[in-house]
Amino acid sequence: MPNNLLSHVSLYFLAKFHKSMLSFRLLVVSGFNEDASIIFRTMVEIAIIITYISNDPDKRINRFIEYKHIAEYRLLQTIEKHYTNSNIDEQRRNKIKEDYEANKSNYKNKAQWSELSIADMAKDVGMDFWYEAVYKLDSSYVHSNITATKGFMFDDNDELLVAVGPLSFSATDILSKSCELSRIVLYISLKNMNLSTDRLLEQWEECQRLIREEFESVRKEAE
């Protein structure tokens, strides 16, 4: 693997995506559809961000890394506001403030390293579908709004039923989307590390075949 920032950042995203994927699979097979959707939303965000960075790494990779100084300062402000008795090392506190002062002019929007929303980054890299049809919809489970009740609250003969445990559900769609996300993240990471993508593309063609067969099987069962 090349010893450069793009390779290192790609490895970070690859490892993070892999850990999220393992959590996602455990939730899916255990019947926790809503919670799996929350992790899946994270996976979509990872795919959008690594694609966005990789499209212009010379300009974007340093912004991604150096935003750490802005984030640490914002965290320090929160701690100082709500935990006034916290014992923070003075040298550490001063270093955080110095790093913030040195970098703050590069970030007009202190809440976003790229100064773009996830929606705008998705649009920039042609991943509008993933934002609108997956990320945005699954946000209801993250924020627990009324839409999030779908799937475990039901009306039955004028009675309200609440499912408090895992439920069986058709996971074909969400699993097929997770496979596609995996392909995106793996492909971009391999390209960023100057590694061959031939085997990945061959395996993806086989995955697509299996996914098509699964969808066809589900369709026939529903008829």
Side-chain angles (χ1 to χ4, degrees):
M1 187 180 77
N3 185 20
N4 57 53
L5 285 179
L6 182 58
S7 293
H8 296 166
V9 169
S10 299
L11 185 60
Y12 156 71
F13 278 113
L14 192 59
K16 175 113 175 41
F17 185 89
H18 177 63
K19 291 183 70 176
S20 294
M21 173 66 87
L22 294 177
S23 300
F24 166 79
R25 288 181 60 190
L26 285 172
L27 290 168
V28 168
V29 300
S30 300
F32 293 100
N33 182 24
E34 298 83 14
D35 300 280
S37 295
I38 294 174
I39 301 296
F40 190 58
R41 181 180 180 269
T42 299
M43 292 159 60
V44 170
E45 185 169 336
I46 291 171
I48 291 172
I49 292 176
I50 190 175
T51 305
Y52 178 79
I53 291 175
S54 300
N55 280 3
D56 192 358
D58 291 339
K59 178 180 178 182
R60 295 168 179 170
I61 198 164
N62 284 327
R63 287 189 61 82
F64 175 76
I65 294 172
E66 292 170 2
Y67 181 74
K68 168 188 176 183
H69 304 305
I70 310 300
E72 286 186 339
Y73 180 75
R74 285 162 58 85
L75 176 60
L76 178 63
Q77 286 183 310
T78 300
I79 293 174
E80 290 180 336
K81 177 181 179 181
H82 297 286
Y83 301 95
T84 55
N85 295 325
S86 294
N87 184 20
I88 302 175
D89 180 76
E90 194 64 24
Q91 185 176 358
R92 176 60 177 155
R93 185 198 305 268
N94 291 338
K95 184 66 168 62
I96 291 174
K97 291 182 177 181
E98 288 174 8
D99 289 338
Y100 173 78
E101 291 297 326
N103 289 276
K104 67 178 183 180
S105 61
N106 297 326
Y107 301 90
K108 294 179 182 179
N109 181 357
K110 302 298 189 291
Q112 176 56 265
W113 69 270
S114 68
E115 298 189 347
L116 294 177
S117 65
I118 292 295
D120 289 335
M121 282 192 280
K123 185 176 182 180
D124 184 88
V125 299
M127 294 185 67
D128 306 66
F129 163 79
W130 291 101
Y131 175 79
E132 295 172 7
V134 181
Y135 184 92
K136 191 175 181 180
L137 293 180
D138 287 348
S139 293
S140 62
Y141 297 121
V142 177
H143 304 303
S144 297
N145 57 37
I146 191 62
T147 309
T149 63
K150 178 183 177 183
F152 65 92
M153 294 186 70
F154 313 92
D155 289 319
D156 184 26
N157 296 325
D158 296 325
E159 291 183 340
L160 178 64
L161 303 179
V162 182
V164 296
L167 292 171
S168 61
F169 68 99
S170 176
T172 300
D173 182 63
I174 194 171
L175 287 174
S176 67
K177 286 186 173 71
S178 72
C179 289
E180 170 63 9
L181 275 184
S182 299
R183 184 198 65 81
I184 293 171
V185 173
L186 281 168
Y187 180 80
I188 292 172
S189 298
L190 290 173
K191 294 282 286 186
N192 289 345
M193 298 175 188
N194 295 323
L195 299 174
S196 173
T197 59
D198 293 344
R199 185 181 177 194
L200 171 65
L201 295 176
E202 291 174 1
Q203 290 179 325
W204 174 236
E205 289 179 0
E206 176 64 13
C207 285
Q208 285 184 308
R209 184 186 66 79
L210 294 172
I211 289 170
R212 284 193 298 269
E213 289 181 358
E214 179 66 18
F215 271 115
E216 182 63 20
S217 173
V218 170
R219 185 188 65 79
K220 288 180 178 179
E221 289 179 3
E223 290 177 347

